[in-house]
Amino acid sequence: MTIGIWILGNQLHSEQAALLSRKNNKQETPVIFIESLNYVRKRPYHQQKLVLVFSAMRHFAEELSSEGWSVTYKISENFEQALNSWIRANQITELRLVTPYDRPFLTFIQSLNLDSNIKLIPNNHFLWSHQEFKQWTDSRKRLLLEDFYREGRKRFNILMEGDQPIGGQWNFDKQNRKPPKKSLTPPTPLGFEPDQITQQVINDLKSSQIPTYGQIEPFKWGINRSQALQVLECFIENNLDNFGAYQDAMVTGEYTMWHSLISPYINLGLLTPLEVIESIEKAYHEFDYPLNSVEGLIRQILGWREYMYGIYQLMDDDYSQKNWFNHQEKLPEFYWDSSQTDMNCLKQSLRQVEETGYGHHIQRLMVLGNFALIVGVSPQAVNDWFHSAFIDAYDWVMVPNVIGMGQFADGGILASKPYAASANYINKMSDYCKSCVYKRTQRTGDKACPFNFFYWDFLSRHQQQLKGLGRMNLILANLKKMDSEELKAIQSQAQHWRESQ
């Protein structure tokens, strides 16, 4: 019997489960990497994401080869053709791979007609297995991210003093919402010049006929584990001190602020979640970084990331199709081309996504997601765009975040209220409104900010559904106080805007 291993593009770690299962038999174990052209034609992926994934795959293949593994790297029209050719050439009887994190890709693999048996190895890239997460949910009367996060802190003994959290409280989020000041000078993010392998990927993509999105150059992302570790170290040394306080702030021309930029590397497997968490905790004890910064970053990985994956695995297959508000509007064209909007907050956020494939969580949730929600865009269209546009996007992370959190399309499984807001929030957390042609204080008229009339239109359209959510009562009470003529003008302006798009 010959055992072969297929390594997927987001499983690029030498300690991943399939490789571990044959660690003592490297030379007798064929390993394959495949770039499938048909697969990347499924949606117009950001060019920098394709460069990152393909270059990281090619670098990891070389790394494994240098360690003694028998590695084949194929660029093929489709997975099935490349796999069967390799299986026959190596007389493989059992094909092992780590269970895909994305459910649609797992279904796809199970549909392949291969000349070998497939053995799926449970993934070890998350701290909670599917079975462990389900056991936790089965023991709960309610599902709350905060409860799960606290359980994770205890289970892995992170930022704990005995059975109590360091600092006397679990969550310092209230200290992590400082609006930007005029004098803010965020550090320059660490970037890397493309090496020969990466430049070849860039050249290949430039000459391909694959439909894509965004700019391909300048490409500054790390493409191997060594560079990913450098990014983590740079974040700890230069960013962690101010990360917490300003993690929600948005500033014109400042694309990354104090954010870590490590999500693409964790999602590819170049970094593991536990090593990142332990590095942050170690830095806290050694250098006395602010606890709100340290706890805030750890909560994103130990809490949010693990919870999203757990919910994704737990939900029914139709979760991605949920549409609680029955929103049917098309995604505005300017999401694909930032030059087509004159709303400064959207233009700034979309332009940086076009240039880098990146936007931080508040830009995603409270600018891009918020606007699509209050306009009434189909949540599936929003999800498709997010999956195409972001360098760290995968089905497992985008479905719960866009469908559940950003668009509230699941009716409250993930969030207790919709993340909907007017221009007031954006003005508080950014400097975008100061340079905008629209007036953040106006709800109607030619200069009224669309965030304002769409926000109140959204509340009006869905007030019957929203009144069942306790946290919406105060806002709905303000809606009832609004002058009926003004509300009609708001609704008319919102509808006219939709029709004009």
Side-chain angles (χ1 to χ4, degrees):
M1 181 173 74
T2 301
I3 296 173
I5 294 176
W6 177 17
I7 295 181
L8 304 182
N10 59 351
Q11 300 174 351
L12 308 180
H13 194 273
S14 60
E15 298 296 308
Q16 59 116 296
L19 290 175
L20 282 180
S21 74
R22 298 291 293 174
K23 193 171 186 178
N24 296 325
N25 306 92
K26 294 180 181 180
Q27 295 180 343
E28 301 86 40
T29 306
V31 174
I32 189 169
F33 294 77
I34 305 171
E35 294 177 20
S36 168
L37 300 179
N38 279 349
Y39 188 77
V40 298
R41 291 188 185 109
K42 286 190 172 184
R43 54 168 42 96
Y45 287 104
H46 200 295
Q47 293 190 87
Q48 296 205 22
K49 176 167 185 189
L50 294 178
V51 174
L52 173 65
V53 174
F54 290 161
S55 182
M57 287 173 64
R58 296 182 191 186
H59 280 88
F60 189 53
E62 286 199 350
E63 178 185 328
L64 291 185
S65 182
S66 69
E67 293 175 358
W69 294 90
S70 176
V71 177
T72 298
Y73 199 102
K74 289 197 173 187
I75 300 174
S76 176
E77 280 297 312
N78 60 72
F79 288 116
E80 189 170 292
Q81 179 181 352
L83 282 169
N84 276 329
S85 173
W86 172 75
I87 286 169
R88 289 190 292 268
N90 291 275
Q91 298 182 325
I92 291 168
T93 53
E94 180 180 288
L95 175 61
R96 292 185 183 179
L97 72 154
V98 174
T99 303
Y101 314 143
D102 291 352
R103 293 167 72 167
F105 197 74
L106 174 59
T107 301
F108 166 74
I109 286 177
Q110 292 168 337
S111 72
L112 292 175
N113 183 20
L114 299 181
D115 297 334
S116 172
N117 294 322
I118 295 179
K119 182 177 181 180
L120 297 173
I121 311 295
N123 90 72
N124 59 344
H125 192 54
F126 290 85
L127 300 176
W128 291 72
S129 70
H130 173 55
Q131 292 75 19
E132 290 168 337
F133 186 82
K134 190 175 187 307
Q135 287 174 2
W136 180 82
T137 60
D138 289 344
S139 68
R140 313 294 300 179
K141 292 183 179 179
R142 64 176 188 175
L143 294 185
L144 287 180
L145 170 58
E146 181 66 22
D147 292 345
F148 174 76
Y149 168 58
R150 295 182 184 187
E151 187 68 25
R153 290 269 295 274
K154 296 174 187 176
R155 180 183 179 192
F156 297 99
N157 193 30
I158 303 298
L159 294 179
M160 298 294 293
E161 291 179 332
D163 61 353
Q164 295 300 311
I166 287 177
Q169 63 189 73
W170 296 98
N171 188 317
F172 291 86
D173 192 44
K174 290 183 179 179
Q175 298 180 27
N176 292 349
R177 303 171 186 171
K178 280 191 177 182
K181 301 176 182 177
K182 291 182 180 179
S183 58
L184 285 183
T185 54
T188 302
L190 179 64
F192 306 90
E193 291 300 319
D195 64 6
Q196 184 175 357
I197 292 176
T198 303
Q199 191 59 54
Q200 184 60 55
V201 175
I202 291 172
N203 295 341
D204 290 346
L205 285 171
K206 284 181 175 180
S207 62
S208 75
Q209 300 300 312
I210 298 172
T212 56
Y213 163 78
Q215 299 178 17
I216 196 168
E217 292 176 311
F219 181 87
K220 297 294 184 180
W221 295 94
I223 40 68
N224 57 34
R225 176 164 169 78
S226 174
Q227 291 181 344
L229 287 168
Q230 291 178 56
V231 173
L232 175 59
E233 181 180 359
C234 179
F235 166 71
I236 292 173
E237 291 182 358
N238 302 311
N239 299 37
L240 185 55
D241 189 44
N242 283 311
F243 164 74
Y246 296 108
Q247 66 172 297
D248 287 3
M250 299 172 284
V251 176
T252 301
E254 296 290 348
Y255 288 4
T256 58
M257 299 297 285
W258 280 271
H259 287 269
S260 67
L261 307 185
I262 59 175
S263 59
Y265 310 124
I266 298 180
N267 289 355
L268 286 177
L270 299 179
L271 295 174
T272 66
L274 189 58
E275 74 178 331
V276 173
I277 291 168
E278 290 177 340
S279 295
I280 300 299
E281 183 177 30
K282 181 181 178 183
Y284 167 72
H285 291 299
E286 290 185 355
F287 304 109
D288 197 29
Y289 283 115
L291 185 54
N292 63 306
S293 289
V294 172
E295 185 276 322
L297 192 282
I298 288 176
R299 178 162 23 95
Q300 288 185 357
I301 301 172
L302 181 60
W304 172 84
R305 185 176 188 273
E306 293 289 324
Y307 189 73
M308 291 298 156
Y309 181 68
I311 290 292
Y312 174 80
Q313 294 294 331
L314 194 65
M315 290 301 138
D316 293 335
D317 290 339
D318 67 348
Y319 184 84
S320 64
Q321 300 306 308
K322 290 189 178 298
N323 192 348
W324 195 61
F325 291 121
N326 193 30
H327 284 169
Q328 303 294 338
E329 295 294 327
K330 293 181 179 180
L331 188 75
E333 285 298 318
F334 57 69
Y335 274 75
W336 297 104
D337 179 3
S338 64
S339 68
Q340 294 188 30
T341 181
D342 52 4
M343 297 173 63
N344 194 46
C345 60
L346 285 164
K347 183 183 290 290
Q348 294 293 331
S349 299
L350 289 165
R351 180 184 295 159
Q352 76 173 63
V353 177
E354 290 170 353
E355 292 178 3
T356 67
Y358 174 80
H360 73 64
H361 65 285
I362 295 300
Q363 292 171 309
R364 301 188 199 202
L365 182 65
M366 299 308 300
V367 178
L368 303 173
N370 175 20
F371 191 73
L373 170 66
I374 58 180
V375 167
V377 177
S378 157
Q380 285 67 45
V382 183
N383 183 61
D384 286 345
W385 180 80
F386 269 84
H387 198 150
S388 291
F390 284 94
I391 199 161
D392 54 4
Y394 295 91
D395 195 69
W396 71 264
V397 67
M398 284 304 163
V399 167
N401 272 280
V402 176
I403 299 297
M405 186 170 271
Q407 301 305 296
F408 205 76
D410 64 3
I413 295 174
L414 265 177
S416 57
K417 72 178 184 68
Y419 283 90
S422 67
N424 284 338
Y425 176 86
I426 296 171
N427 181 62
K428 176 184 176 183
M429 298 310 302
S430 78
D431 65 354
Y432 294 155
C433 298
K434 295 177 182 178
S435 303
C436 190
V437 298
Y438 296 103
K439 303 298 182 182
R440 62 176 178 81
T441 57
Q442 294 183 17
R443 298 193 287 208
T444 58
D446 292 342
K447 293 299 181 180
C449 175
F451 269 93
N452 288 339
F453 56 75
F454 274 123
Y455 174 68
W456 292 103
D457 176 65
F458 167 78
L459 296 177
S460 177
R461 282 184 288 124
H462 299 301
Q463 58 183 308
Q464 292 303 312
Q465 287 172 280
L466 295 173
K467 70 180 183 180
L469 307 173
R471 295 183 65 191
M472 296 297 296
N473 289 337
L474 180 61
I475 297 171
L476 292 176
N478 291 331
L479 176 67
K480 290 181 179 180
K481 297 176 184 177
M482 184 177 291
D483 179 78
S484 60
E485 291 303 314
E486 182 183 14
L487 181 58
K488 287 180 182 178
I490 285 172
Q491 293 169 325
S492 176
Q493 190 158 352
Q495 185 57 31
H496 176 74
W497 191 97
R498 292 191 193 94
E499 292 172 353
S500 70
Q501 297 298 305

